[in-house]
Amino acid sequence: MKAMKKLHVAAAVASLFAVGSAMAATISQSGVTVAREVIMKNSQAIIAPAASFTYAGNLSANAASSQDFNLVLKLGGDGAAAWLATAGNLPNLETVQVKAFVAGAPVDVPVLAAGTTAAGKAAVELLDIEVVDAQTLRFKFRLENKDNVPVNLTTAQVNFNVNTAAIAAATVGGVDFDAQPAPAAPKFAKVTNLVPTVGTVDADGAAEIATDVCSDGDKRISLNIRNYTGSGVGVIGESGETGVTNNGYILFSQAVNVVIGKGVAPNRSTNPAVENKALATDSAGFGTSTVMPLGFVKFRNLSVDAWDTDLATDYYKLRANNANNNGDLNTAGVLNTDGAVDTKEAVVKLYSSNGFAAGSTITLSNSPFCSATGANNVSTAGTVVASADGKDWTVTFSHAQLVSVVTGGAVTNTLLAIGDPLATGPLGAGADPVSGYTATTDRAYICYNVPGNVEIPQSTFQGVASLIKEDLSDEQNNKSCRRDLAGLGGGVKIDVRNFIGWDPAKPVSDAYGEWINVVRVINNSETQSADLTGQYIRADGKYGKWGAMGELPARAARYFTAKEIHTLLSNNSSLAGADNTGPGGITAAAGQELAANTRLRISSTKASTLRVQNYFYNTRTGALTEVSGAQGADFVNLEASPRDHIDQDAQTGIKK
C-alpha cells in the first residue's frame, strides 16, 4: 500500500508512572485525511493509520526474568468512532513492530506469540489484545529474557498498524534475541461507526454533506495512548487519561463541493402585451420569450487532498479519464473506492413564491443563453416532482442528461468542465458584446421553459442543488446551500383612474375645457430604464387605442398632458371586442362632450418600479389638485423593490 499522507506528526511528553518507576514517553502518528463523502453508513470501516509510542527510558529484564508492559489505544475526537473489534477483525502481531535504539541506531526486536521465545533467547511477546470498550484496545506485552545476561532496550519504540517482516536472530546489548519468522497475513486495526463522526443524515435517511457555507467543517478522530510497565499483566499503575494524545489521527475533510446561485442570470418580466403568457425581451439575450435562465449549478473540487476508502490509489476528486478509476461521468454503474466520484444524477430543488407556468419544464444548459443553437448543449427536461401546493419543484437530471450537457453525448468528460467555451450568444461566440458574458467552463445553467400560451405566475426563486451518488455506493451526497436565483416579475402596470381625456371635437382654443389633466411618470429605479406604453381603458370595460410613450432612464421623470397622450396613443387594438374610437364608451350625459370614467393604463415591461403622479389643473381658477391617490398598480416584483409595493389594481398590461 502506498505510504499514507502525513496530516501532521505531533509529539507530546508526559510522565507516566508504573509500579516503582517513572518513565517518559512520546507518541507520533502518521495521520491521514479521508474524504467525508466516502463514508455513508456506520458499517463502513477504514484502516487506521499507523501510530508509534516511544519509551524514553528503560524497558529491561534481568537474566532469566521478564517485564510486562501494556499499551492502551483509545479513540476520541468527534462522534463516536470505534475499533472494528468483532470476531476475526482484531489486529494481530504481524501488525506490531518493536525497535530498540542502541547508540542511537534502530535495531529490530522480534515480536513473537506468547510463550514461544526459545530457551537462551530474548524477545517481545504479544500476550493478548484486549477489547476494553468500543473505543479502547489494550495490547499486553512481555519482554521475555531467557538468556543468562540482563537485557536493556534503552529507548524502545512500539509501532502499531504497520506491515512487519521476518527478523533474523540478532544480539542486542550482549543478549541473543530469537528470530521472528515470516509473518502471516496482517490484520490491520480498523475504525468504524463513522457516520456520526463525518456527516449528517437527512430526513429521507440518505447521508448528505451540507456543503459550501452550510458545511459543518472538518471532523477528526484523535488517539490517546497510555501505558503500564511493571511485573505481571495487571493494569494497576496504568497511566490514565493523562496519556499522550495526538488530535489528528484521522481527519475527515470535504473534498467535493456543489454551489448554486444566480450568477449572470437577470431578473425577467412577463410580457403584458400578450397577457403575460411569454417573457419580455431580455436585452442581454439570456434566454428567449419562452426560456429564462434561473441561475447556475457548479460542481467543483475543493483544495483538499483526501483519500477514498482504499487509502492508497487516488485522492477523491471529480476528474476525467483518470488512469486509476472510471468514475465521475466516464462510466455509469461501476462503483469505485479508488478516488472516483460515483456520480448517479444531479437534483435541483426550486422554491418559488407563486409557482410555475402550467406545462413548463426545467432543463440544464452549458450557457446562460439556454439555447441549443450553435455550440451550446441543452439537456432534455428533468423529471419534476412538485410539492402539494405546486410551488416547490424537485427536478432530477440523470447521468445521461448530465453527459449530454457536458459533452453533447460523449461519455468521456467530467462535471468540472460543463460550460462550453464556444457558447453562442446574440452576436456570436466567446465574449459577447451585447450580453457582456464571457463563456465559462465550470457550470450548468438552470433553464425555465414556459409553453408561451398560458399565463406565467410572477415568482421569486431559490434553489438547492445536490450531487447524488450511485446506488449501492458508500458515498454521501453533496448538497449546496439554499440561495437566491433570478426573479420573474410582470413589469409594472398602473391604472390612472381619475383621468380627463383630451376631446378633439372641441375648438382648439377650448380643447380642454375648464380642467386640464397632467400626468407625471417617474422611474424611481437607480439602475433600470423603463419603457413606457399607454392604453385607454374605456368606461364600458373595452380596451381602446394604445401607443409607446417613450423610455425613461433610471431616476428620470416626465410630464404628459392629456393632449400629448392622445397623440401618442394612436394604435388600434386588435383584441376581440376592443373599441378604438377614443377614450369614450358610454353615452355621454347631457352637456358632456366626452364620456366620463375613461382610464389611462401605463405599463412597462422592463421596469421593476414605477410611479405615476396625476394632476387636475383648473384653467379658470389656477387651482392645481393632485389626485394620485386614485391610481392603482400591479406591483409584482417585490424582490426588486419591496418598499414600493402598494395595493394592486391593474392585472394585465397593454392589449395590442
Side-chain angles (χ1 to χ4, degrees):
M1 187 174 76
K2 185 187 297 182
M4 295 182 181
K5 182 173 76 74
K6 292 283 186 179
L7 170 64
H8 52 75
V9 177
V13 178
S15 294
L16 305 178
F17 294 93
V19 178
S21 66
M23 307 184 68
T26 62
I27 175 177
S28 63
Q29 296 167 2
S30 181
V32 295
T33 300
V34 177
R36 288 174 57 191
E37 290 88 345
V38 302
I39 305 298
M40 181 180 179
K41 55 192 179 186
N42 279 348
S43 60
Q44 283 177 261
I46 60 174
I47 295 176
S52 297
F53 190 88
T54 302
Y55 289 94
N58 294 330
L59 279 180
S60 61
N62 292 327
S65 65
S66 63
Q67 183 184 47
D68 290 339
F69 60 99
N70 296 343
L71 287 178
V72 178
L73 278 63
K74 185 176 180 62
L75 298 173
D78 296 314
W83 299 109
L84 183 62
T86 56
N89 285 309
L90 280 174
N92 58 8
L93 63 83
E94 280 78 15
T95 61
V96 178
Q97 179 188 74
V98 177
K99 289 181 179 291
F101 290 84
V102 180
V107 176
D108 290 324
V109 175
V111 179
L112 306 177
T116 60
T117 304
K121 303 288 185 178
V124 171
E125 295 180 353
L126 179 59
L127 306 180
D128 188 23
I129 300 176
E130 178 184 341
V131 180
V132 180
D133 56 41
Q135 282 72 43
T136 310
L137 295 179
R138 179 179 286 116
F139 288 74
K140 296 183 176 182
F141 297 96
R142 175 171 291 162
L143 175 57
E144 183 71 46
N145 182 15
K146 295 184 178 181
D147 202 325
N148 57 6
V149 177
V151 63
N152 189 336
L153 297 184
T154 62
T155 301
Q157 182 185 81
V158 183
N159 300 314
F160 296 92
N161 244 35
V162 295
N163 200 346
T164 63
I167 299 173
T171 301
V172 179
V175 174
D176 290 332
F177 274 75
D178 209 343
Q180 178 177 316
K187 291 183 180 179
F188 293 100
K190 296 182 179 181
V191 180
T192 188
N193 198 45
L194 298 174
V195 166
T197 302
V198 303
T200 58
V201 177
D202 206 1
D204 60 5
E208 292 180 322
I209 295 176
T211 59
D212 208 10
V213 297
C214 303
S215 173
D216 51 351
D218 293 342
K219 302 289 187 179
R220 65 185 66 234
I221 297 172
S222 63
L223 180 67
N224 173 285
I225 300 183
R226 61 182 190 261
N227 81 318
Y228 157 88
T229 55
S231 299
V233 295
V235 296
I236 298 174
E238 185 174 285
S239 61
E241 298 302 325
T242 57
V244 187
T245 302
N246 182 316
N247 288 321
Y249 191 50
I250 306 176
L251 177 66
F252 292 95
S253 292
Q254 188 176 313
V256 175
N257 180 271
V258 183
V259 179
I260 194 170
K262 181 177 177 180
V264 298
N267 289 342
R268 295 284 294 276
S269 296
T270 56
N271 188 348
V274 290
E275 299 178 285
N276 300 309
K277 294 178 179 179
L279 300 168
T281 302
D282 170 52
S283 59
F286 294 141
T288 66
S289 61
T290 57
V291 183
M292 172 186 175
L294 295 177
F296 70 90
V297 178
K298 180 177 180 178
F299 307 94
R300 63 181 181 178
N301 292 325
L302 301 180
S303 56
V304 173
D305 288 337
W307 293 110
D308 206 331
T309 51
D310 73 344
L311 302 185
T313 308
D314 263 320
Y315 298 132
Y316 185 80
K317 292 184 183 299
L318 297 164
R319 56 168 66 83
N321 298 334
N322 188 64
N324 294 323
N325 62 66
N326 54 5
D328 203 354
L329 292 186
N330 195 41
T331 304
V334 178
L335 304 183
N336 303 271
T337 60
D338 56 358
V341 180
D342 291 328
T343 300
K344 176 187 177 184
E345 59 197 15
V347 174
V348 178
K349 186 166 185 179
L350 299 173
Y351 302 86
S352 74
S353 58
N354 288 313
F356 300 81
S360 57
T361 60
I362 304 294
T363 56
L364 288 180
S365 171
N366 65 344
S367 83
F369 305 112
C370 287
S371 168
T373 60
N376 305 342
N377 297 326
V378 180
S379 75
T380 54
T383 302
V384 173
V385 176
S387 60
D389 60 6
K391 292 184 178 181
D392 300 337
W393 278 14
T394 300
V395 191
T396 300
F397 297 97
S398 67
H399 187 281
Q401 288 171 322
L402 293 175
V403 168
S404 71
V405 174
V406 172
T407 66
V411 192
T412 56
N413 273 332
T414 170
L415 287 171
L416 291 178
I418 291 183
D420 193 328
L422 301 177
T424 303
L427 291 184
D432 190 275
V434 170
S435 65
Y437 166 73
T438 301
T440 57
T441 59
D442 65 350
R443 60 196 62 196
Y445 287 88
I446 307 164
C447 306
Y448 176 27
N449 308 272
V450 299
N453 56 7
V454 296
E455 185 174 353
I456 307 170
Q458 281 78 58
S459 289
T460 56
F461 298 98
Q462 291 183 315
V464 172
S466 298
L467 178 61
I468 309 300
K469 309 304 171 59
E470 292 199 58
D471 296 337
L472 304 180
S473 72
D474 289 333
E475 294 183 10
Q476 293 191 46
N477 301 330
N478 290 92
K479 190 174 183 179
S480 79
C481 302
R482 179 167 167 167
R483 286 206 172 106
D484 290 336
L485 301 175
L488 177 59
V492 180
K493 303 172 284 288
I494 297 176
D495 275 358
V496 182
R497 298 174 186 151
N498 283 354
F499 179 73
I500 303 174
W502 179 67
D503 189 350
K506 291 186 176 182
V508 175
S509 61
D510 190 27
Y512 292 99
E514 185 174 345
W515 292 94
I516 295 177
N517 201 130
V518 180
V519 173
R520 185 184 189 216
V521 183
I522 305 167
N523 180 7
N524 51 330
S525 171
E526 286 290 323
T527 58
Q528 179 66 56
S529 62
D531 57 323
L532 304 180
T533 305
Q535 186 167 34
Y536 287 130
I537 308 298
R538 297 163 57 86
D540 57 3
K542 295 180 179 180
Y543 291 103
K545 289 179 176 289
W546 66 274
M549 299 174 63
E551 185 157 328
L552 287 179
R555 301 177 299 279
R558 181 181 170 183
Y559 287 100
F560 295 89
T561 66
K563 183 177 182 180
E564 288 178 296
I565 291 171
H566 176 81
T567 301
L568 293 171
L569 273 54
S570 59
N571 302 301
N572 290 336
S573 172
S574 60
L575 188 72
D579 190 330
N580 298 294
T581 59
I586 295 178
T587 304
Q592 282 187 321
E593 296 292 333
L594 186 65
N597 295 316
T598 296
R599 305 191 305 282
L600 172 67
R601 178 166 294 173
I602 296 176
S603 180
S604 173
T605 61
K606 293 182 180 179
S608 59
T609 177
L610 203 64
R611 282 290 171 266
V612 175
Q613 292 174 312
N614 192 29
Y615 300 93
F616 288 171
Y617 176 68
N618 190 292
T619 58
R620 181 177 60 82
T621 65
L624 181 67
T625 303
E626 183 178 2
V627 290
S628 303
Q631 74 192 36
D634 177 17
F635 209 100
V636 293
N637 199 337
L638 303 186
E639 176 192 20
S641 188
R643 66 180 178 81
D644 286 329
H645 179 63
I646 62 177
D647 291 340
Q648 297 182 356
D649 180 64
Q651 298 301 309
T652 186
I654 308 306
K655 304 301 180 184
K656 297 182 179 180

